[in-house]
């Protein structure tokens, strides 16, 4: 059951990749240094776009590695360019696609322990961790990345965000 | 299975209610007309805060009414104040809590038809509609509401957004 949620994460991260492509194209078209966009933020005490993308990836990567009880690759958080951010998303999607479904069996009832900020450790049951922590966190950082770009004049729309949804003919 | 996702929606909408409370308190403390905040937006072509809250409610209300095959109350989209927005959230949560679990049985495989914008109708299978449409849309509008307030100097944080998550002791 938890394994069936992985495609929701890869879909959302792939949509984020498309949104970043539009950001990069907009910077080029408007002759703006792309780093102006990747370092933009909505408020002085919020993370910049690059960090929002890094965390979107980590929510998925670290979340499923905890649920599956497997090691996740460690990323160094050094990305600043659109290209580097795209590479991080690609590595994250590849990791998610390689999580063995068997390793997630029974993880609904597993107790997951995870850091929340530098000084605090929290615990949740697996299904609650997925639906009340990982999913809202994933969308928090993806939507904030979207909002940062839109606030900076990039022509992204809701369908870029929902891209990949399984529509019926 | 789909019925078990209702608490995720009520949790998120209740967190949104707490975030709006902080917005109202901040307006009062800073002697700002609260309507300045409820009509704020991140970009001239994005919806203002009040509309983000209205849509957050409708994603949940209309989504579960379609999945359950029951009528949903119709809201008139006239809210402008924090109090009116809070009332809309409360009515939405009450509706969600009253959806009979039986009415959602088998809705994973039901074909759901729904409007996307004024001129388009889309179709999805129930489980995809929930996980690839309703959930990302719900968080899209809640996070954008959060970002609008934070961008306008309201002291909200991630734990306001995740509030209500079932943490273990």
């Amino acid at each position: 059951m938890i394994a069936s949620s992985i495609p929701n994460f890869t879909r959302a991260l792939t949509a984020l990749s498309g949104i970043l492509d539009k950001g990069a194209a907009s910077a080029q078209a408007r002759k703006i240094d792309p780093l102006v966009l990747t370092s933009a933020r909505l408020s002085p005490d919020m993370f910049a776009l690059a960090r929002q993308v890094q965390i979107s990836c980590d929510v998925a990567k670290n979340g499923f590695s905890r649920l599956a009880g497997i090691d996740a690759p460690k990323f160094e958080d050094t990305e600043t360019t659109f290209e580097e951010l795209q590479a991080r998303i690609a590595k994250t999607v590849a990791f998610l696609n390689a999580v063995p479904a068997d390793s997630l069996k029974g993880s609904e009832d597993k107790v997951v322990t995870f850091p929340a900020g530098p000084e605090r450790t929290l615990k949740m049951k697996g299904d609650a961790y997925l639906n009340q922590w990982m999913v809202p966190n994933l969308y928090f950082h993806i939507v904030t990345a979207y909002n940062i770009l839109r606030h900076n004049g990039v022509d992204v729309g809701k369908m870029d965000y929902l891209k990949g949804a399984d529509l019926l003919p």
Side-chain angles (χ1 to χ4, degrees), chain A:
Chain A
M1 184 176 157
I2 281 192
S4 72
S5 70
I6 286 186
N8 298 325
F9 283 73
T10 57
R11 186 207 58 74
L13 289 168
T14 304
L16 174 61
S17 167
I19 289 164
L20 295 178
D21 275 340
K22 287 204 169 181
S26 174
Q28 190 171 27
R30 294 188 288 157
K31 304 191 196 311
I32 296 166
D33 181 348
L35 297 180
V36 171
L37 294 184
T38 59
S39 64
R41 58 189 87 221
L42 291 172
S43 168
D45 59 353
M46 287 183 85
F47 288 129
L49 176 63
R51 188 84 192 108
Q52 301 291 349
V53 175
Q54 291 167 349
I55 301 176
S56 301
C57 292
D58 286 358
V59 167
K61 170 179 73 76
N62 297 338
F64 282 106
S65 76
R66 286 182 191 119
L67 286 166
I70 59 176
D71 285 335
K74 174 107 183 76
F75 301 148
E76 292 302 332
D77 297 337
T78 52
E79 298 90 351
T80 58
T81 68
F82 280 111
E83 293 75 13
E84 289 166 346
L85 293 169
Q86 293 288 8
R88 182 165 180 144
I89 293 174
K91 283 186 290 183
T92 303
V93 169
F95 169 77
L96 294 178
N97 284 333
V99 173
D102 271 6
S103 66
L104 290 166
K105 249 184 207 161
S107 59
E108 292 83 0
D109 297 316
K110 179 176 172 175
V111 174
V112 179
T113 303
F114 56 99
E119 288 178 355
R120 204 165 43 142
T121 298
L122 299 177
K123 278 187 210 173
M124 294 179 81
K125 209 158 79 67
D127 57 355
Y129 178 62
L130 173 69
N131 290 304
Q132 302 172 21
W133 199 267
M134 289 170 59
V135 169
N137 265 312
L138 175 82
Y139 289 120
F140 182 91
H141 294 286
I142 291 178
V143 172
T144 302
Y146 172 105
N147 281 337
I148 290 170
L149 288 174
R150 186 111 180 234
H151 180 65
N152 280 277
V154 176
D155 184 23
V156 283
K158 178 75 84 66
M159 287 311 296
D160 295 307
Y161 168 71
L162 295 170
K163 197 168 176 178
D166 289 326
L167 300 173
L168 297 175

